Amino acid sequence: MSRFNSPTIAAADPISIIRRAIPHDAPLTVTQIAPRLKDGGAYVKFAHPEGTSPAEVEARLARYLRESPIKPWFNPFRRVEAYRVRGRPWLEDLYRFPSSRLKVEFVPDKPGASALELPQEELYALFRRYGKLADIKPQPADSKVLPRYALLDFAGIRQAILARNCMHGFRVEAKGDRASHATALKLSYEQKIKAHWIRDWLVSHPRLVIPAIAAIIATITVAIFDPVRTFFVRAHVEESFRLKQSRLYRWFASRATDMFSFRNRGADAGGLRALWDDRKENIEQIRTWLMEAGGSFIVVQGPRGSAKRELVLDESLKGRRYKLVIDCKPIQEARGDSAAIRAAAAEVGYRPVFSWANNLSSLIDLAAQGTIGTKTGFSETLDTQLAKILQTTATALKQVALEDRTKDDKDSALGDDEYLEAHPEKRAVVVVENFLHKNLESHVVYDKISEWAARLIISNVAHVIFLTEDASFSKWLSKALPDRVYRQISLGDCSPGVAKRIVLQHVDADADEVDLGREKLPPSQRRPDLNELDGCIETLGGRLTDLEFLARRIKLGESPNKAVQQIVEQSASSILKMYVLDPDGGQRGWTPEQAWLLVKQLATKESLRYSEVLLSGVYKTNGESALRALEQAEMISIQSMHGRPHSIRPGRPVYASAFRALIADRVLRARLELSTLNELTKSENSTVEKCEAELSLLGNLPEKGGGLLERMLYLMDKLKKSHRSIEEYEAESSKLKKILQTET
């Protein structure tokens, strides 16, 4: 940089300017030139004849420069000036830069002498010749600072530079008694603005600075990151970055069918054609709803394994250009707000996302609250972050819906909202999967998603389809969209005929046919053991996941009866480990006794009355919460009627057979029955203790009226019943203990 920071390159060489500024007939001879680039000038030493004084030389140069002004090309409004140096200049190269304020210090010219402090009038007379003075500030009288000083404020920096270079070291002769002493003027630049004042002000005003910084960061985020995030969400919906959607891949796949086998291993290859034939009306109904102008929620409800996702994505939405699938399960199961934000952003393609910044801003908020007493607003809750992500997604979905619109359309006169309302086929489809998964733990995610989906429906931005296993979805959706009736499709287990066809199609899928004579027979017609399939399906039920598991075992060579027996045994073992036994030490929402009661009763009955179960002894405490927890864990399913819980069924059809297998184990049954009786005995003992305590209290009263006698008789009758129940429980416990002692 020093090579370019040169007066020669800037066409402002001090020596050339000095040569032009001194007339040829001037009575002086230049002996030395000392450039002062930092101050924008130069010192010139000269010699003059004896008959000419330095003041005359100064006046001659000043008159010449007024008559023939020299102006540099980079500053045509300023001319070169010349002044006589009256003091003893200090040539230094320190990092002290010019300022319009000069500090004039009064120092003695000899050690041990005292200096004279000049008044304002004398200072004005000395320094006014160099330019206009804005102000003269003497040192306060009570100040203890030595040496004494005064501050001179010039109208410009140029004048201050002239004064400092000409008057530094100037001697002011004393008068009167102090005529033998003189005062020297020591000049230096004084910065008007205090160093680091901006930093100091920011540090000393946190209540103003921190919210302002938060506002600036939010503005930058909106201005820079929001368009980028909208772009990535739109690319996620349009699948712009997926290889299979690229033109090159599609071109290669269309021309390489002769060299490679692009076999479809989707729903048809998996043997689900029979299921789609059975649910053809549901598929057509969803497609019809998607073509209606007036939108509402579409809800597909059914137990896990009922092919809800495949029905919607693979069949009903086949051929739709734009689909957005939001799986609530990873969001709901995420540990911590940062993980939930990352999961939600990944579902919609929202990036970049700085989930770690939420933890950092929370720490800043906590520190600020302890420092200034109020929060800064840096940290944002999960609710706020989800709202931002979903709002950006809504913006991207609207852009996707309007991307095919041009000025030449027949509906070009319509606004965006009217256009989307008139063209429902242009809207993207948002599929919310696993809605209300583990909704007992937190409601924030489902509240935000349902409210956001309602806004999409009202503004005609997108169609929304909810996939849920929970039958209580109406409570959530009605709160988000109370003025519209949602469309609902309930999926259940397959009928025995459809279930059999599904298993046979799975068995025949990707299997080699055997040539027997003139016709080729698939495996379903070659294997005689498949005649057992009707009875096996009756045991197994019509749950799609169980049917696929059965088909896989049959394809491996097992007979249907053996495969079903293995499935039932595995289900029984899973029920025992997941629901009945208590390895967590009571950390779950139910007790082993509560789960065993349902196992025992559902093994002999197809369904149980919900209210009757709550009247059981083991369900007296937290009965409804235990049933809801067991439903969330998929051991049971609770059926509703008129908006209230009505009946209880096994969570999967195969569980009914598994329940019967569990109660057939005499040792297991005796162990769990004994545990149940112990719990019931504890409950009755507690009742007996309460009755005895109250009877003792009533018996000590001095007067016993009619009301007290009735109360005592009631307590005695209740105590008698509890005692009789305890005797019965203990008798049954003795029998069960004998079983545990004798059988293995």
Side-chain angles (χ1 to χ4, degrees):
M1 291 300 294
S2 60
R3 184 179 301 175
F4 296 99
N5 188 18
S6 172
T8 304
I9 297 177
D13 185 13
I15 297 177
S16 63
I17 293 177
I18 291 170
R19 287 175 179 173
R20 293 168 56 194
I22 299 176
H24 297 290
D25 57 348
L28 59 89
T29 302
V30 176
T31 60
Q32 183 181 355
I33 298 176
R36 297 292 294 166
L37 300 180
K38 183 174 68 172
D39 293 334
Y43 288 110
V44 179
K45 282 188 176 183
F46 64 93
H48 57 87
E50 293 183 0
T52 305
S53 65
E56 293 176 354
V57 175
E58 179 185 9
R60 175 71 183 275
L61 289 177
R63 184 170 59 253
Y64 174 76
L65 291 176
R66 283 195 301 269
E67 295 173 354
S68 303
I70 300 174
K71 300 179 180 180
W73 65 269
F74 55 84
N75 192 0
F77 302 103
R78 291 284 187 180
R79 60 184 177 86
V80 175
E81 294 177 321
Y83 289 89
R84 178 166 58 100
V85 177
R86 305 175 66 186
R88 301 180 63 183
W90 178 27
L91 301 180
E92 41 80 17
D93 57 353
L94 303 175
Y95 284 97
R96 295 179 180 178
F97 301 101
S99 171
S100 61
R101 172 176 289 181
L102 286 180
K103 183 178 182 181
V104 182
E105 294 180 337
F106 311 109
V107 296
D109 62 342
K110 296 179 181 179
S114 61
L116 179 65
E117 183 177 358
L118 300 183
Q120 298 185 38
E121 294 81 2
E122 193 168 349
L123 290 173
Y124 181 83
L126 290 173
F127 289 94
R128 178 61 181 84
R129 71 185 65 188
Y130 302 107
K132 182 174 179 57
L133 282 165
D135 194 10
I136 299 176
K137 298 179 180 179
Q139 183 179 2
D142 58 348
S143 176
K144 304 292 185 179
V145 177
L146 293 176
R148 304 290 293 180
Y149 66 89
L151 298 177
L152 304 182
D153 287 335
F154 285 87
I157 297 179
R158 178 187 177 95
Q159 292 80 7
I161 293 174
L162 287 171
R164 180 185 181 276
N165 285 277
C166 294
M167 295 294 291
H168 183 81
F170 179 74
R171 295 175 74 253
V172 180
E173 298 295 338
K175 298 179 182 179
D177 298 337
R178 313 175 86 182
S180 60
H181 301 290
T183 299
L185 303 183
K186 182 180 177 183
L187 276 65
S188 61
Y189 296 115
E190 183 80 7
Q191 297 295 329
K192 284 188 175 183
I193 301 176
K194 185 180 178 181
H196 309 300
W197 71 272
I198 297 178
R199 182 191 64 188
D200 296 340
W201 188 90
L202 293 177
V203 172
S204 60
H205 295 80
R207 294 191 179 185
L208 298 177
V209 173
I210 295 178
I213 293 175
I216 292 172
I217 293 175
T219 303
I220 294 174
T221 302
V222 172
I224 297 177
F225 290 110
D226 275 14
V228 175
R229 289 163 174 166
T230 303
F231 166 78
F232 278 110
V233 173
R234 181 173 177 177
H236 180 79
V237 176
E238 295 176 345
E239 298 181 340
S240 302
F241 299 141
R242 288 191 62 182
L243 178 63
K244 291 186 177 181
Q245 299 297 326
S246 64
R247 295 181 180 179
L248 179 63
Y249 181 87
R250 290 199 296 264
W251 175 86
F252 180 79
S254 63
R255 286 164 176 77
T257 52
D258 296 335
M259 295 182 292
F260 303 98
S261 177
F262 292 93
R263 300 184 64 179
N264 180 18
R265 299 184 180 274
D268 291 341
L272 295 181
R273 291 188 301 273
L275 181 63
W276 304 143
D277 291 341
D278 183 57
R279 296 179 176 177
K280 187 175 182 180
E281 293 183 3
N282 295 333
I283 297 171
E284 294 298 329
Q285 183 64 71
I286 294 176
R287 291 175 178 173
T288 302
W289 286 336
L290 293 177
M291 295 305 296
E292 294 180 359
S296 183
F297 294 140
I298 300 175
V299 183
V300 180
Q301 189 270 332
R304 190 178 67 168
S306 55
K308 299 185 294 296
R309 178 186 175 90
E310 292 80 2
L311 174 75
V312 173
L313 295 178
D314 297 340
E315 296 299 319
S316 300
L317 300 183
K318 183 184 294 184
R320 298 285 299 202
R321 289 180 61 188
Y322 303 127
K323 304 181 288 288
L324 175 62
V325 181
I326 301 177
D327 191 356
C328 299
K329 185 176 181 180
I331 305 175
Q332 188 70 6
E333 292 182 348
R335 295 187 177 181
D337 290 352
S338 297
I341 293 168
R342 286 197 301 270
E347 291 299 316
V348 299
Y350 179 92
R351 60 177 64 90
V353 56
F354 308 111
S355 57
W356 53 268
N358 196 45
N359 293 334
L360 180 61
S361 57
S362 298
L363 294 177
I364 295 175
D365 240 1
L366 185 61
Q369 188 174 9
T371 304
I372 63 178
T374 59
K375 290 188 176 182
T376 61
F378 273 165
S379 62
E380 295 180 334
T381 61
L382 176 62
D383 192 334
T384 307
Q385 292 279 7
L386 287 177
K388 285 185 177 180
I389 293 173
L390 295 176
Q391 179 61 37
T392 303
T393 305
T395 303
L397 289 172
K398 187 170 184 178
Q399 293 178 3
V400 167
L402 296 172
E403 70 170 356
D404 294 334
R405 192 180 186 190
T406 61
K407 296 181 179 179
D408 300 330
D409 290 342
K410 62 179 181 179
D411 297 330
S412 59
L414 297 177
D416 292 344
D417 295 340
E418 292 81 3
Y419 177 83
L420 292 175
E421 185 177 3
H423 295 275
E425 73 280 358
K426 299 291 185 181
R427 308 175 203 164
V429 180
V430 178
V431 180
V432 182
E433 190 178 3
N434 288 316
F435 185 65
L436 299 182
H437 173 74
K438 292 186 177 180
N439 61 345
L440 296 179
E441 298 178 1
S442 175
H443 302 162
V444 175
V445 174
Y446 300 122
D447 285 337
K448 300 306 296 184
I449 289 179
S450 57
E451 293 171 3
W452 171 72
R455 290 194 295 270
L456 294 181
I457 295 295
I458 294 172
S459 58
N460 297 312
V461 171
H463 303 283
V464 183
I465 301 176
F466 288 94
L467 309 182
T468 181
E469 303 171 10
D470 199 322
S472 63
F473 63 88
S474 59
K475 177 181 66 174
W476 301 82
L477 300 185
S478 298
K479 182 172 60 175
L481 197 64
D483 57 341
R484 300 195 186 187
V485 179
Y486 49 82
R487 287 79 178 262
Q488 177 183 356
I489 290 178
S490 297
L491 301 180
D493 297 324
C494 303
S495 62
V498 175
K500 183 177 180 180
R501 289 170 55 194
I502 291 173
V503 173
L504 293 177
Q505 288 179 5
H506 271 283
V507 171
D508 293 340
D510 300 332
D512 296 330
E513 297 178 345
V514 177
D515 191 356
L516 297 177
R518 295 183 178 179
E519 58 181 354
K520 295 182 178 180
L521 298 179
S524 60
Q525 299 182 19
R526 299 198 311 265
R527 295 183 56 172
D529 56 357
L530 294 183
N531 296 328
E532 308 169 357
L533 205 56
D534 292 332
C536 294
I537 289 177
E538 183 179 355
T539 302
L540 193 63
R543 188 63 55 87
L544 184 61
T545 51
D546 295 332
L547 296 175
E548 292 176 342
F549 189 30
L550 172 63
R552 285 195 295 269
R553 298 187 73 96
I554 292 175
K555 288 177 69 174
L556 293 176
E558 293 185 8
S559 65
N561 282 335
K562 184 178 179 181
V564 169
Q565 182 181 359
Q566 292 291 331
I567 293 173
V568 171
E569 290 178 358
Q570 290 181 9
S571 299
S573 178
S574 299
I575 292 169
L576 197 61
K577 293 178 181 179
M578 294 174 58
Y579 310 117
V580 178
L581 299 182
D582 190 15
D584 299 333
Q587 296 297 321
R588 300 176 295 189
W590 66 89
T591 63
E593 294 76 21
Q594 290 172 331
W596 175 250
L597 177 65
L598 296 177
V599 169
K600 183 175 62 174
Q601 294 184 359
L602 287 174
T604 56
K605 298 179 182 179
E606 185 177 352
S607 65
L608 304 175
R609 284 188 290 271
Y610 185 86
S611 301
E612 185 180 1
V613 172
L614 291 178
L615 295 176
S616 304
V618 293
Y619 281 95
K620 288 182 179 180
T621 305
N622 299 327
E624 292 202 64
S625 61
L627 291 176
R628 288 297 177 185
L630 287 168
E631 183 188 26
Q632 290 287 334
E634 299 181 357
M635 175 184 163
I636 59 173
S637 64
I638 299 176
Q639 311 296 320
S640 298
M641 184 177 68
H642 304 305
R644 65 173 179 84
H646 173 259
S647 60
I648 299 174
R649 292 176 176 270
R652 291 165 51 188
V654 71
Y655 280 179
S657 301
F659 292 160
R660 288 191 287 271
L662 287 175
I663 66 172
D665 187 343
R666 286 174 53 84
V667 175
L668 175 65
R669 182 171 183 175
R671 173 188 168 187
L672 293 172
E673 287 287 346
L674 182 61
S675 178
T676 302
L677 290 174
N678 290 335
E679 291 297 321
L680 294 175
T681 302
K682 290 180 182 178
S683 177
E684 295 297 337
N685 282 328
S686 176
T687 303
V688 169
E689 291 177 0
K690 292 179 181 179
C691 292
E692 290 177 346
E694 188 173 354
L695 285 173
S696 175
L697 180 63
L698 296 176
N700 293 328
L701 294 177
E703 297 182 2
K704 300 179 179 59
L708 289 178
L709 291 175
E710 291 180 1
R711 178 64 179 174
M712 294 175 68
L713 291 174
Y714 166 77
L715 292 173
M716 293 177 63
D717 184 57
K718 188 176 181 180
L719 190 150
K720 186 184 299 183
K721 291 180 180 178
S722 297
H723 183 71
R724 190 179 300 115
S725 298
I726 292 173
E727 290 179 346
E728 294 175 358
Y729 296 155
E730 290 180 349
E732 293 180 16
S733 299
S734 300
K735 297 177 182 178
L736 295 173
K737 289 178 181 179
K738 291 181 180 179
I739 296 176
L740 294 175
Q741 293 172 352
T742 57
E743 298 185 12
T744 58

